[in-house]
Amino acid sequence: MGIVRHRPLLALLVAALVFTLSNFLGIAPAQAAATAAFDVTCSSVTLQITGAPSGTSYDLLVILPDSTSLYQPPVPTVGGAVTITLTFPSLPEGSYIYADTWQFSPLIMNFASINKRCGYDGIPVPPGFIFAEITCDVTVFQVPNPDFPTSARLRKGQTWFVNPKPVPAQIDTFYKEWTEVFVAGPRTGYIPTACVNPVPRFRR
């Protein structure tokens, strides 16, 4: 499958048209009856859709730890079901993989998604956290305070999941805002917000 960086412009134009017409005509968006299931391994992601309304189709986006994006354009369902698989070079066990799908006709953006460590079931990413690139070599701190470092360090160019809402520093310090970061452990940590560059969640 090809590697892409942005969702096709057509999909976004269709979304804008659907929502504009819905508001103008007073039509509510159709509700989904389908269910989605993801099977994530260290070399593939498989999406299974069942119970889909007639005429619908589904795409599949996969984002790997190095921010590479793989994309399968919408595939129509047959008998209300479809299976889509994207493969990639094998990753180390425990690598985090993000995947999502949109429903088309009717359009439901972000119909289903998953963040998962491949190879085994680890601690899930906290709800609401977003994909982000780390822009500094930085120590992870227990709280938004440089007096409480941990042994964990993040490297420039890595991607992790972070809380999109920064918090103020606990003390007067050079870094006024701090960002909560998920480092694949039972507790989150904090790094200066200046070292965080959020990655757009949908990069078709």
Side-chain angles (χ1 to χ4, degrees), residues 88-174:
F88 41 85
S90 185
L91 299 171
E93 185 172 287
S95 297
Y96 270 95
I97 298 172
Y98 172 85
D100 73 45
T101 182
W102 285 19
Q103 176 183 288
F104 294 81
S105 300
L107 178 66
I108 300 179
M109 294 183 283
N110 195 25
F111 178 78
S113 63
I114 189 172
N115 297 313
K116 187 176 181 181
R117 297 177 74 178
C118 70
Y120 59 91
D121 290 330
I123 299 169
V125 177
F129 277 44
I130 63 173
F131 208 52
E133 178 185 10
I134 306 303
T135 60
C136 315
D137 292 334
V138 62
T139 296
V140 178
F141 296 84
Q142 300 176 44
V143 293
N145 185 327
D147 294 332
F148 297 91
T150 71
S151 59
R153 284 187 59 82
L154 304 184
R155 298 296 182 186
K156 181 179 179 180
Q158 290 182 328
T159 50
W160 293 89
F161 288 94
V162 303
N163 191 325
K165 297 181 180 179
V167 297
Q170 289 185 345
I171 62 173
D172 187 17
T173 180
F174 178 78

